[in-house]
CSV table of all heavy atoms in Angstrom, one decimal:
chain,number,residue,atom,x,y,z
A,709,PHE,N,-103.8,-126.6,-2.3
A,709,PHE,CA,-102.6,-126.8,-3.2
A,709,PHE,C,-101.8,-128.0,-2.7
A,709,PHE,O,-101.3,-128.8,-3.5
A,709,PHE,CB,-101.7,-125.5,-3.1
A,709,PHE,CG,-100.5,-125.6,-4.1
A,709,PHE,CD1,-100.7,-125.4,-5.4
A,709,PHE,CD2,-99.3,-125.8,-3.5
A,709,PHE,CE1,-99.6,-125.4,-6.3
A,709,PHE,CE2,-98.1,-125.8,-4.4
A,709,PHE,CZ,-98.3,-125.7,-5.7
A,710,ALA,N,-101.6,-128.1,-1.4
A,710,ALA,CA,-100.8,-129.2,-0.8
A,710,ALA,C,-101.5,-130.6,-1.1
A,710,ALA,O,-100.8,-131.6,-1.4
A,710,ALA,CB,-100.6,-129.1,0.7
A,711,LEU,N,-102.8,-130.6,-1.1
A,711,LEU,CA,-103.5,-131.9,-1.4
A,711,LEU,C,-103.3,-132.2,-2.8
A,711,LEU,O,-103.2,-133.4,-3.1
A,711,LEU,CB,-105.0,-131.7,-1.0
A,711,LEU,CG,-105.9,-132.9,-1.2
A,711,LEU,CD1,-105.3,-134.1,-0.2
A,711,LEU,CD2,-107.3,-132.6,-0.8
A,712,GLU,N,-103.4,-131.3,-3.7
A,712,GLU,CA,-103.1,-131.5,-5.1
A,712,GLU,C,-101.7,-132.1,-5.3
A,712,GLU,O,-101.5,-133.0,-6.1
A,712,GLU,CB,-103.3,-130.2,-5.9
A,712,GLU,CG,-103.0,-130.4,-7.4
A,712,GLU,CD,-104.0,-131.3,-8.1
A,712,GLU,OE1,-105.1,-131.6,-7.6
A,712,GLU,OE2,-103.6,-131.9,-9.2
A,713,VAL,N,-100.8,-131.5,-4.6
A,713,VAL,CA,-99.4,-132.0,-4.7
A,713,VAL,C,-99.3,-133.5,-4.2
A,713,VAL,O,-98.6,-134.3,-4.9
A,713,VAL,CB,-98.4,-131.1,-3.9
A,713,VAL,CG1,-97.0,-131.8,-3.8
A,713,VAL,CG2,-98.3,-129.7,-4.5
A,714,VAL,N,-100.0,-133.8,-3.1
A,714,VAL,CA,-100.0,-135.2,-2.6
A,714,VAL,C,-100.6,-136.1,-3.7
A,714,VAL,O,-100.0,-137.2,-3.9
A,714,VAL,CB,-100.8,-135.2,-1.3
A,714,VAL,CG1,-101.0,-136.7,-0.9
A,714,VAL,CG2,-100.1,-134.5,-0.2
A,715,ASN,N,-101.7,-135.7,-4.3
A,715,ASN,CA,-102.3,-136.6,-5.3
A,715,ASN,C,-101.3,-136.8,-6.5
A,715,ASN,O,-101.2,-137.9,-7.1
A,715,ASN,CB,-103.6,-136.0,-5.8
A,715,ASN,CG,-104.7,-136.1,-4.8
A,715,ASN,OD1,-104.8,-137.2,-4.1
A,715,ASN,ND2,-105.6,-135.1,-4.7
A,716,ARG,N,-100.6,-135.7,-6.9
A,716,ARG,CA,-99.7,-135.8,-8.0
A,716,ARG,C,-98.5,-136.8,-7.6
A,716,ARG,O,-98.0,-137.5,-8.5
A,716,ARG,CB,-99.1,-134.5,-8.4
A,716,ARG,CG,-100.1,-133.5,-8.9
A,716,ARG,CD,-100.7,-133.9,-10.2
A,716,ARG,NE,-101.6,-132.9,-10.7
A,716,ARG,CZ,-101.4,-132.0,-11.7
A,716,ARG,NH1,-100.2,-131.9,-12.2
A,716,ARG,NH2,-102.3,-131.1,-12.1
A,717,MET,N,-98.1,-136.7,-6.4
A,717,MET,CA,-97.0,-137.6,-5.9
A,717,MET,C,-97.4,-139.0,-5.9
A,717,MET,O,-96.7,-139.9,-6.3
A,717,MET,CB,-96.5,-137.2,-4.5
A,717,MET,CG,-95.8,-135.8,-4.5
A,717,MET,SD,-95.4,-135.3,-2.8
A,717,MET,CE,-94.0,-136.4,-2.4
A,718,LEU,N,-98.7,-139.3,-5.6
A,718,LEU,CA,-99.2,-140.7,-5.6
A,718,LEU,C,-99.3,-141.2,-7.0
A,718,LEU,O,-99.2,-142.4,-7.2
A,718,LEU,CB,-100.6,-140.7,-4.9
A,718,LEU,CG,-100.7,-140.4,-3.4
A,718,LEU,CD1,-102.1,-140.3,-2.9
A,718,LEU,CD2,-100.0,-141.6,-2.7
A,719,ARG,N,-99.6,-140.4,-8.0
A,719,ARG,CA,-99.7,-140.8,-9.3
A,719,ARG,C,-98.4,-140.7,-10.1
A,719,ARG,O,-98.4,-141.0,-11.3
A,719,ARG,CB,-100.8,-140.0,-10.1
A,719,ARG,CG,-102.2,-140.2,-9.4
A,719,ARG,CD,-103.3,-139.7,-10.4
A,719,ARG,NE,-103.1,-138.3,-10.7
A,719,ARG,CZ,-103.7,-137.3,-10.0
A,719,ARG,NH1,-104.4,-137.5,-9.0
A,719,ARG,NH2,-103.5,-136.0,-10.4
A,720,MET,N,-97.4,-140.3,-9.5
A,720,MET,CA,-96.1,-140.0,-10.2
A,720,MET,C,-95.5,-141.2,-10.7
A,720,MET,O,-95.4,-142.2,-10.0
A,720,MET,CB,-95.2,-139.2,-9.3
A,720,MET,CG,-93.9,-138.8,-10.0
A,720,MET,SD,-92.8,-137.8,-8.9
A,720,MET,CE,-93.8,-136.4,-8.7
A,721,GLU,N,-95.0,-141.2,-12.0
A,721,GLU,CA,-94.3,-142.3,-12.6
A,721,GLU,C,-92.9,-141.9,-12.7
A,721,GLU,O,-92.4,-140.8,-12.3
A,721,GLU,CB,-94.9,-142.6,-14.0
A,721,GLU,CG,-96.4,-143.1,-13.9
A,721,GLU,CD,-97.0,-143.4,-15.2
A,721,GLU,OE1,-96.3,-143.2,-16.2
A,721,GLU,OE2,-98.1,-143.8,-15.3
A,722,ALA,N,-92.1,-142.8,-13.4
A,722,ALA,CA,-90.7,-142.5,-13.6
A,722,ALA,C,-90.5,-141.2,-14.4
A,722,ALA,O,-91.2,-141.0,-15.4
A,722,ALA,CB,-90.0,-143.7,-14.3
A,723,VAL,N,-89.6,-140.4,-13.9
A,723,VAL,CA,-89.4,-139.1,-14.5
A,723,VAL,C,-88.1,-139.2,-15.5
A,723,VAL,O,-87.1,-139.7,-15.1
A,723,VAL,CB,-89.1,-138.0,-13.5
A,723,VAL,CG1,-88.9,-136.6,-14.2
A,723,VAL,CG2,-90.3,-137.9,-12.5
A,724,GLN,N,-88.3,-138.7,-16.7
A,724,GLN,CA,-87.2,-138.7,-17.6
A,724,GLN,C,-86.1,-137.9,-17.2
A,724,GLN,O,-86.3,-136.8,-16.5
A,724,GLN,CB,-87.7,-138.2,-19.0
A,724,GLN,CG,-88.7,-139.1,-19.7
A,724,GLN,CD,-89.1,-138.6,-21.0
A,724,GLN,OE1,-88.8,-137.4,-21.4
A,724,GLN,NE2,-89.8,-139.4,-21.8
A,725,LYS,N,-84.8,-138.3,-17.5
A,725,LYS,CA,-83.7,-137.6,-17.0
A,725,LYS,C,-83.6,-136.1,-17.5
A,725,LYS,O,-83.2,-135.2,-16.8
A,725,LYS,CB,-82.4,-138.3,-17.4
A,725,LYS,CG,-81.1,-137.7,-16.9
A,725,LYS,CD,-79.9,-138.5,-17.3
A,725,LYS,CE,-78.6,-138.0,-16.7
A,725,LYS,NZ,-78.4,-136.5,-17.0
A,726,GLU,N,-84.1,-135.9,-18.7
A,726,GLU,CA,-84.1,-134.6,-19.3
A,726,GLU,C,-85.0,-133.6,-18.5
A,726,GLU,O,-84.6,-132.5,-18.3
A,726,GLU,CB,-84.5,-134.6,-20.8
A,726,GLU,CG,-83.6,-135.4,-21.7
A,726,GLU,CD,-83.7,-136.9,-21.6
A,726,GLU,OE1,-84.7,-137.4,-21.0
A,726,GLU,OE2,-82.8,-137.6,-22.2
A,727,VAL,N,-86.1,-134.2,-18.1
A,727,VAL,CA,-87.0,-133.3,-17.3
A,727,VAL,C,-86.4,-133.0,-15.9
A,727,VAL,O,-86.5,-131.9,-15.5
A,727,VAL,CB,-88.4,-134.1,-17.1
A,727,VAL,CG1,-89.3,-133.3,-16.2
A,727,VAL,CG2,-89.1,-134.3,-18.5
A,728,LEU,N,-85.8,-134.0,-15.3
A,728,LEU,CA,-85.2,-133.8,-14.0
A,728,LEU,C,-84.1,-132.8,-14.1
A,728,LEU,O,-83.9,-132.0,-13.2
A,728,LEU,CB,-84.7,-135.2,-13.5
A,728,LEU,CG,-84.3,-135.3,-12.0
A,728,LEU,CD1,-85.5,-134.9,-11.1
A,728,LEU,CD2,-83.7,-136.6,-11.7
A,729,ASP,N,-83.3,-133.0,-15.1
A,729,ASP,CA,-82.1,-132.0,-15.3
A,729,ASP,C,-82.6,-130.6,-15.5
A,729,ASP,O,-82.0,-129.6,-15.0
A,729,ASP,CB,-81.3,-132.4,-16.5
A,729,ASP,CG,-80.5,-133.7,-16.3
A,729,ASP,OD1,-80.3,-134.1,-15.1
A,729,ASP,OD2,-80.0,-134.3,-17.3
A,730,LYS,N,-83.8,-130.4,-16.2
A,730,LYS,CA,-84.3,-129.1,-16.5
A,730,LYS,C,-84.8,-128.5,-15.2
A,730,LYS,O,-84.6,-127.3,-14.9
A,730,LYS,CB,-85.4,-129.2,-17.5
A,730,LYS,CG,-86.0,-127.8,-17.9
A,730,LYS,CD,-87.0,-127.9,-19.0
A,730,LYS,CE,-87.4,-126.5,-19.5
A,730,LYS,NZ,-88.4,-126.6,-20.6
A,731,VAL,N,-85.5,-129.3,-14.3
A,731,VAL,CA,-86.0,-128.8,-13.0
A,731,VAL,C,-84.8,-128.4,-12.1
A,731,VAL,O,-84.8,-127.4,-11.5
A,731,VAL,CB,-86.8,-129.9,-12.3
A,731,VAL,CG1,-87.2,-129.5,-10.9
A,731,VAL,CG2,-88.1,-130.1,-13.1
A,732,GLU,N,-83.8,-129.2,-12.1
A,732,GLU,CA,-82.6,-128.9,-11.3
A,732,GLU,C,-82.0,-127.6,-11.8
A,732,GLU,O,-81.6,-126.8,-11.0
A,732,GLU,CB,-81.5,-130.0,-11.5
A,732,GLU,CG,-81.8,-131.2,-10.6
A,732,GLU,CD,-80.6,-132.1,-10.5
A,732,GLU,OE1,-79.5,-131.7,-10.1
A,732,GLU,OE2,-80.7,-133.3,-10.9
A,733,GLN,N,-81.8,-127.4,-13.1
A,733,GLN,CA,-81.2,-126.2,-13.6
A,733,GLN,C,-82.1,-125.0,-13.2
A,733,GLN,O,-81.5,-123.9,-12.8
A,733,GLN,CB,-81.1,-126.3,-15.1
A,733,GLN,CG,-80.4,-125.1,-15.7
A,733,GLN,CD,-80.3,-125.2,-17.3
A,733,GLN,OE1,-80.9,-126.1,-17.9
A,733,GLN,NE2,-79.4,-124.4,-17.9
A,734,THR,N,-83.4,-125.1,-13.3
A,734,THR,CA,-84.3,-124.0,-13.0
A,734,THR,C,-84.1,-123.6,-11.5
A,734,THR,O,-84.1,-122.5,-11.1
A,734,THR,CB,-85.7,-124.4,-13.3
A,734,THR,OG1,-85.9,-124.7,-14.7
A,734,THR,CG2,-86.7,-123.2,-12.9
A,735,LEU,N,-84.1,-124.7,-10.6
A,735,LEU,CA,-83.9,-124.4,-9.2
A,735,LEU,C,-82.6,-123.8,-8.9
A,735,LEU,O,-82.5,-122.9,-8.1
A,735,LEU,CB,-84.0,-125.8,-8.5
A,735,LEU,CG,-85.4,-126.4,-8.3
A,735,LEU,CD1,-85.3,-127.8,-7.8
A,735,LEU,CD2,-86.3,-125.6,-7.4
A,736,ARG,N,-81.6,-124.2,-9.6
A,736,ARG,CA,-80.2,-123.6,-9.4
A,736,ARG,C,-80.2,-122.2,-9.8
A,736,ARG,O,-79.7,-121.3,-9.0
A,736,ARG,CB,-79.2,-124.4,-10.2
A,736,ARG,CG,-77.8,-124.0,-9.9
A,736,ARG,CD,-76.8,-124.7,-10.8
A,736,ARG,NE,-76.9,-126.2,-10.6
A,736,ARG,CZ,-76.4,-126.9,-9.6
A,736,ARG,NH1,-75.7,-126.2,-8.7
A,736,ARG,NH2,-76.5,-128.2,-9.5
A,737,ILE,N,-80.8,-121.8,-10.9
A,737,ILE,CA,-80.7,-120.5,-11.4
A,737,ILE,C,-81.7,-119.5,-10.7
A,737,ILE,O,-81.3,-118.4,-10.3
A,737,ILE,CB,-81.0,-120.4,-13.0
A,737,ILE,CG1,-79.9,-121.2,-13.7
A,737,ILE,CG2,-81.1,-119.0,-13.5
A,737,ILE,CD1,-80.2,-121.4,-15.2
A,738,GLU,N,-82.9,-120.0,-10.6
A,738,GLU,CA,-84.0,-119.1,-10.0
A,738,GLU,C,-84.1,-119.1,-8.5
A,738,GLU,O,-84.6,-118.1,-8.0
A,738,GLU,CB,-85.4,-119.5,-10.6
A,738,GLU,CG,-85.5,-119.3,-12.1
A,738,GLU,CD,-86.9,-119.6,-12.6
A,738,GLU,OE1,-87.7,-120.0,-11.8
A,738,GLU,OE2,-87.1,-119.6,-13.8
A,739,PHE,N,-83.6,-120.1,-7.9
A,739,PHE,CA,-83.9,-120.2,-6.4
A,739,PHE,C,-82.6,-120.2,-5.6
A,739,PHE,O,-82.3,-119.3,-4.9
A,739,PHE,CB,-84.7,-121.5,-6.1
A,739,PHE,CG,-84.9,-121.6,-4.6
A,739,PHE,CD1,-85.6,-120.7,-3.9
A,739,PHE,CD2,-84.5,-122.8,-4.0
A,739,PHE,CE1,-85.8,-120.8,-2.5
A,739,PHE,CE2,-84.7,-122.9,-2.6
A,739,PHE,CZ,-85.4,-122.0,-1.9
A,740,MET,N,-81.7,-121.2,-5.9
A,740,MET,CA,-80.5,-121.4,-5.0
A,740,MET,C,-79.5,-120.2,-5.2
A,740,MET,O,-78.9,-119.8,-4.3
A,740,MET,CB,-79.8,-122.7,-5.4
A,740,MET,CG,-80.6,-123.9,-5.0
A,740,MET,SD,-81.0,-124.1,-3.3
A,740,MET,CE,-79.4,-124.5,-2.6
A,741,SER,N,-79.4,-119.7,-6.5
A,741,SER,CA,-78.4,-118.7,-6.7
A,741,SER,C,-78.8,-117.4,-6.0
A,741,SER,O,-78.0,-116.5,-5.7
A,741,SER,CB,-78.2,-118.4,-8.2
A,741,SER,OG,-79.4,-118.0,-8.8
A,742,ASN,N,-80.1,-117.2,-5.8
A,742,ASN,CA,-80.6,-116.0,-5.1
A,742,ASN,C,-80.9,-116.2,-3.6
A,742,ASN,O,-81.3,-115.2,-2.9
A,742,ASN,CB,-81.9,-115.5,-5.8
A,742,ASN,CG,-81.7,-115.1,-7.2
A,742,ASN,OD1,-80.7,-114.5,-7.6
A,742,ASN,ND2,-82.6,-115.5,-8.1
A,743,LEU,N,-80.7,-117.4,-3.1
A,743,LEU,CA,-81.0,-117.7,-1.7
A,743,LEU,C,-80.3,-116.8,-0.8
A,743,LEU,O,-80.8,-116.3,0.2
A,743,LEU,CB,-80.8,-119.1,-1.4
A,743,LEU,CG,-81.2,-119.6,-0.1
A,743,LEU,CD1,-82.7,-119.4,0.1
A,743,LEU,CD2,-80.9,-121.1,0.1
A,744,SER,N,-78.9,-116.6,-1.0
A,744,SER,CA,-78.1,-115.9,-0.1
A,744,SER,C,-78.5,-114.4,0.0
A,744,SER,O,-78.3,-113.7,1.0
A,744,SER,CB,-76.6,-116.0,-0.4
A,744,SER,OG,-76.4,-115.5,-1.7
A,745,HIS,N,-79.2,-113.9,-1.1
A,745,HIS,CA,-79.5,-112.5,-1.2
A,745,HIS,C,-80.9,-112.3,-0.6
A,745,HIS,O,-81.3,-111.2,-0.1
A,745,HIS,CB,-79.5,-112.0,-2.6
A,745,HIS,CG,-78.2,-112.2,-3.3
A,745,HIS,ND1,-77.1,-111.5,-2.8
A,745,HIS,CD2,-77.8,-113.0,-4.3
A,745,HIS,CE1,-76.0,-111.8,-3.6
A,745,HIS,NE2,-76.4,-112.7,-4.4
A,746,THR,N,-81.8,-113.3,-0.6
A,746,THR,CA,-83.2,-113.2,-0.2
A,746,THR,C,-83.5,-113.6,1.2
A,746,THR,O,-84.4,-113.1,1.8
A,746,THR,CB,-84.1,-114.0,-1.2
A,746,THR,OG1,-83.7,-115.3,-1.1
A,746,THR,CG2,-84.0,-113.5,-2.6
A,747,SER,N,-82.7,-114.5,1.7
A,747,SER,CA,-83.0,-115.0,3.1
A,747,SER,C,-82.1,-114.3,4.1
A,747,SER,O,-81.2,-114.9,4.7
A,747,SER,CB,-82.7,-116.5,3.1
A,747,SER,OG,-81.4,-116.8,2.7
A,748,ARG,N,-82.4,-113.0,4.3
A,748,ARG,CA,-81.7,-112.2,5.3
A,748,ARG,C,-82.1,-112.6,6.7
A,748,ARG,O,-83.3,-112.8,6.9
A,748,ARG,CB,-81.9,-110.8,5.0
A,748,ARG,CG,-81.1,-109.9,6.0
A,748,ARG,CD,-81.5,-108.4,5.8
A,748,ARG,NE,-80.8,-107.6,6.8
A,748,ARG,CZ,-81.0,-106.3,7.0
A,748,ARG,NH1,-81.8,-105.7,6.1
A,748,ARG,NH2,-80.4,-105.6,7.9
A,749,ARG,N,-81.2,-112.8,7.6
A,749,ARG,CA,-81.5,-113.2,8.9
A,749,ARG,C,-82.2,-112.1,9.7
A,749,ARG,O,-81.8,-110.9,9.6
A,749,ARG,CB,-80.3,-113.7,9.6
A,749,ARG,CG,-80.5,-114.4,10.9
A,749,ARG,CD,-79.2,-114.8,11.6
A,749,ARG,NE,-79.5,-115.6,12.8
A,749,ARG,CZ,-78.5,-115.9,13.6
A,749,ARG,NH1,-77.3,-115.6,13.4
A,749,ARG,NH2,-78.8,-116.6,14.7
A,750,ASP,N,-83.2,-112.4,10.5
A,750,ASP,CA,-83.9,-111.5,11.3
A,750,ASP,C,-82.9,-110.9,12.3
A,750,ASP,O,-82.2,-111.6,13.0
A,750,ASP,CB,-85.1,-112.1,12.0
A,750,ASP,CG,-85.8,-111.1,12.8
A,750,ASP,OD1,-86.5,-110.3,12.3
A,750,ASP,OD2,-85.7,-111.2,14.1
A,751,ALA,N,-83.0,-109.5,12.4
A,751,ALA,CA,-82.1,-108.8,13.3
A,751,ALA,C,-82.2,-109.3,14.8
A,751,ALA,O,-81.3,-109.3,15.6
A,751,ALA,CB,-82.2,-107.3,13.2
A,752,HIS,N,-83.5,-109.6,15.2
A,752,HIS,CA,-83.7,-110.0,16.6
A,752,HIS,C,-83.1,-111.4,16.8
A,752,HIS,O,-82.6,-111.6,17.9
A,752,HIS,CB,-85.2,-110.0,16.8
A,752,HIS,CG,-85.8,-108.6,16.9
A,752,HIS,ND1,-86.3,-108.0,15.7
A,752,HIS,CD2,-86.0,-107.7,17.9
A,752,HIS,CE1,-86.8,-106.8,16.1
A,752,HIS,NE2,-86.6,-106.6,17.3
């Protein structure tokens, strides 16, 4: 999977602002907003 990502990064062209905004919004809603609830610190 990582190698596929590297190949995509090598072929990546300019990203439209609308696409970038959509990715940011998805990250904010699905990942960052839940980060404080999911990343509980190990007790040890």
Side-chain angles (χ1 to χ4, degrees):
F709 183 78
L711 186 58
E712 177 64 22
V713 171
V714 170
N715 286 323
R716 297 293 181 101
M717 293 176 72
L718 289 172
R719 299 194 300 267
M720 185 177 293
E721 299 179 355
V723 181
Q724 294 181 347
K725 186 178 184 304
E726 293 76 12
V727 175
L728 194 60
D729 289 344
K730 187 174 182 180
V731 172
E732 279 195 57
Q733 184 180 16
T734 302
L735 286 167
R736 186 182 303 278
I737 294 173
E738 294 185 2
F739 180 59
M740 296 299 288
S741 62
N742 296 320
L743 185 60
S744 61
H745 302 294
T746 57
S747 57
R748 183 183 175 186
R749 190 179 184 190
D750 180 73
H752 291 89

